[in-house]
Amino acid sequence: MPTEEELVSMDARIAAASMGAWVPVLETRGATGGASCIRISPATAVDDDEMYLSRFVNGERVQVGPDLQLDADLDFIASARQDMPRLVAEVRRLRGLLQGDGDRRHAAFVALRELGRSLDHRDRADAGRGLAAFADLREALGPLLELVLDPGDTFVTRVTTEAVLRRMDRAGLTVVASAMAVADANHSDWIHTAVVDVFSIFSEDRDRARQLCEEMLRDADDRVALGARRLHDILAEIDPVLRPA
């Protein structure tokens, strides 16, 4: 069975990948006269967002379509985007049963994590607010990142970002920094708005957050370090309303 560290690494890779759904468009399944590909987030992409894969055997490039083996590989990759989060969640659920895990806090975390997968953006926003309380748990990073980078509604992005930032600690800042390192322009704008909303009141809060970001610049995770730099730059531009007398 995977260790918790391995599951956390899987969560991080899932959160960093382009948001789903990933849809395999295969020439062997329905020829279109083009090349097989994976279509990414067809419901939210402004333009066609597609991923193509080339395969080389003994130095020779396999035709991109139709090719049975290549299409099978593309089908596997596309399905993994949807399958992996479910598998990781199921491993954790079964592990809890095997360990006789009756801890109410853990049960609340699991319930909120499942709520975060709802099709209703209001449910996902509520999950973001609730999961912020668990940001110090390593297994919460993946679910929180998915909500901050929610592909369906940036309201979820703003609400979740504000909730984790209002923790005023490194755990919350790490979630936001990790998201900022990979966020597109639209999500970045809403994250920026949330940062300004949270840290525009008290200068002490802003200054403490800047200090934590400076520490995070040396984080072993390159993504956290990159996001911390971007977050620090935003904080540096904020002029809080209230300062110590």
Side-chain angles (χ1 to χ4, degrees):
M1 181 178 291
T3 65
E4 181 57 31
E5 289 72 18
E6 290 171 328
L7 292 177
V8 168
S9 294
M10 293 178 195
D11 276 335
R13 288 193 292 272
I14 291 168
S18 298
M19 300 301 292
W22 290 11
V23 180
V25 180
L26 309 178
E27 288 296 301
T28 56
R29 184 173 296 168
T32 62
S36 296
C37 66
I38 297 172
R39 187 169 297 143
I40 300 175
S41 300
T44 58
V46 176
D47 300 308
D48 288 341
D49 191 354
E50 298 172 342
M51 182 189 307
Y52 291 84
L53 178 69
S54 293
R55 184 183 183 90
F56 291 81
V57 178
N58 295 325
E60 296 293 329
R61 182 170 182 265
V62 176
Q63 294 298 319
V64 287
D67 180 82
L68 288 172
Q69 185 59 64
L70 182 64
D71 280 10
D73 293 342
L74 282 168
D75 199 14
F76 175 82
I77 294 169
S79 298
R81 186 63 184 86
Q82 286 74 245
D83 294 344
M84 283 298 296
R86 297 174 59 197
L87 287 172
V88 170
E90 182 65 8
V91 169
R92 286 200 170 107
R93 186 186 72 83
L94 293 174
R95 177 174 290 166
L97 291 175
L98 289 172
Q99 294 174 346
D101 190 350
D103 181 76
R104 292 182 179 179
R105 180 174 168 82
H106 184 266
F109 167 73
V110 171
L112 287 167
R113 186 182 63 203
E114 293 306 308
L115 185 65
R117 299 190 174 106
S118 169
L119 296 178
D120 190 324
H121 76 279
R122 294 168 296 184
D123 288 341
R124 300 198 303 277
D126 287 341
R129 294 187 185 97
L131 283 172
F134 298 87
D136 55 316
L137 298 180
R138 293 183 64 186
E139 61 188 288
L141 177 60
L144 281 168
L145 278 175
E146 290 190 0
L147 291 169
V148 172
L149 299 173
D150 190 89
D153 199 308
T154 49
F155 173 71
V156 181
T157 296
R158 181 170 181 174
V159 165
T160 305
T161 302
E162 286 190 10
V164 294
L165 289 176
R166 292 192 189 282
R167 290 175 56 94
M168 301 294 175
D169 64 2
R170 180 161 179 165
L173 290 170
T174 296
V175 172
V176 178
S178 299
M180 291 192 72
V182 297
D184 59 26
N186 190 32
H187 286 89
S188 293
D189 285 345
W190 286 104
I191 293 172
H192 186 287
T193 298
V195 174
V196 173
D197 286 348
V198 171
F199 293 106
S200 289
I201 306 300
F202 298 103
S203 62
E204 292 178 341
D205 292 341
R206 190 278 314 269
D207 294 343
R208 173 59 178 161
R210 289 181 66 183
Q211 180 183 349
L212 289 172
C213 284
E214 289 169 2
E215 296 174 5
M216 291 160 58
L217 294 175
R218 300 184 292 275
D219 197 284
D221 187 329
D222 291 340
R223 183 175 59 176
V224 173
L226 172 61
R229 168 58 62 191
R230 295 175 178 173
L231 184 53
H232 186 276
D233 291 344
I234 296 173
L235 291 167
E237 297 173 354
I238 296 175
D239 184 18
V241 175
L242 300 178
R243 298 178 179 275

